[in-house]
Amino acid sequence: ENLSKSIDGVKVLDNVSFIVGREDKIAFTGNDISVSTLFKILAGEMEPDEGSYKYGVTITKDYFPRDNGAYFNDLELNLVDWMRQYSEEKSESYLRGFLGRMLFSGEEALKEAKVLSGGERVRCMLSKLMLSSGNLLIIDQPTNHLDFESITAVNNGLMDFKGVLLFSSHDHQFNQTVANRVIEVNPESFYDKLCTFDEYLDMRENQ
């Protein structure tokens, strides 16, 4: 409700308000900095200058940031121990199961977290999301650094996801097949429509 935020003296969010339904999968588009800032606020990683937000009592959320460096840089952990940070169940076989789904099997699961490529980091972050079992996911550009096959797998997984999804992606197919609602966020404007992504594009073009 009425979220506003300025970064380095420049307003990136201006009086943003919306209500999320329990079956919403919302594609956020518009200004990338505005969208990422909104997601950081909703994930609790940044404070708004004005406004507030609240979640329902049954909500458990997890967050996939666009910049995941803070989760990996300078960490002296292998991937099993990296996953253990985010898991109540600490056994290696359990954690290797989640890593294996993201193609980290055998010795791959013992790689050092700090030496991973961009695509490998994304796969780890996706493993972390699966581990959390959150019913509300905030996902900022999950398709960056992934190959086509991996993008398709993530796409299919989020289509099947039964919870609430707030996400941004530059992949058209991803937006069209996952979202049932589109919110456009810019520093000077806000637009919210219950529609497919293609319907949103048609309406914006006609406007």
Side-chain angles (χ1 to χ4, degrees):
E1 185 171 349
N2 302 324
L3 289 175
S4 295
K5 183 69 177 179
S6 294
I7 295 177
D8 297 329
V10 178
K11 182 156 279 193
V12 295
L13 295 175
D14 187 16
N15 208 32
V16 170
S17 298
F18 58 93
I19 295 173
V20 178
R22 62 184 181 143
E23 296 182 349
D24 276 346
K25 293 183 177 181
I26 307 174
F28 284 78
T29 186
N31 181 279
D32 282 350
I33 294 174
S34 297
V35 172
S36 290
T37 300
L38 176 62
F39 284 178
K40 287 176 184 176
I41 291 171
L42 297 180
E45 296 204 350
M46 181 181 284
E47 289 294 321
D49 295 336
E50 299 172 37
S52 62
Y53 64 92
K54 63 180 178 180
Y55 290 104
V57 293
T58 60
I59 289 294
T60 54
K61 68 180 185 298
D62 204 356
Y63 173 49
F64 180 110
R66 184 186 313 187
D67 180 3
N68 55 38
Y71 291 81
F72 298 97
N73 293 342
D74 304 320
L75 278 188
E76 302 291 338
L77 296 174
N78 64 38
L79 295 191
V80 172
D81 290 335
W82 184 88
M83 285 287 287
R84 193 172 276 126
Q85 301 174 98
Y86 306 107
S87 178
E88 292 185 11
E89 170 59 63
K90 304 297 185 182
S91 74
E92 182 164 334
S93 59
Y94 178 80
L95 298 169
R96 277 179 173 269
F98 282 90
L99 289 167
R101 292 183 211 175
M102 287 293 141
L103 308 181
F104 294 108
S105 56
E107 292 300 308
E108 287 279 305
L110 298 178
K111 271 183 144 178
E112 291 290 315
K114 64 182 179 182
V115 303
L116 297 182
S117 68
E120 289 173 327
R121 287 183 175 194
V122 169
R123 282 156 45 200
C124 281
M125 294 298 290
L126 292 170
S127 297
K128 174 180 172 292
L129 282 186
M130 290 192 295
L131 186 65
S132 77
S133 300
N135 58 15
L136 183 147
L137 302 181
I138 303 169
I139 303 183
D140 196 0
Q141 305 287 351
T143 53
N144 291 353
H145 305 294
L146 293 181
D147 58 27
F148 177 76
E149 186 177 358
S150 299
I151 291 172
T152 301
V154 175
N155 194 163
N156 291 338
L158 292 180
M159 285 169 62
D160 293 339
F161 179 60
K162 303 305 182 192
V164 173
L165 186 61
L166 313 180
F167 74 97
S168 69
S169 173
H170 291 307
D171 187 284
H172 178 270
Q173 176 75 5
F174 199 95
N175 289 327
Q176 172 60 16
T177 55
V178 175
N180 67 344
R181 178 177 169 189
V182 180
I183 290 180
E184 180 186 302
V185 186
N186 290 299
E188 70 289 337
S189 66
F190 181 80
Y191 179 89
D192 183 357
K193 193 72 176 176
L194 192 64
C195 64
T196 68
F197 192 72
D198 281 346
E199 288 170 339
Y200 154 77
L201 292 177
D202 287 342
M203 282 185 285
R204 295 305 269 159
E205 187 175 332
N206 290 333
Q207 288 176 353

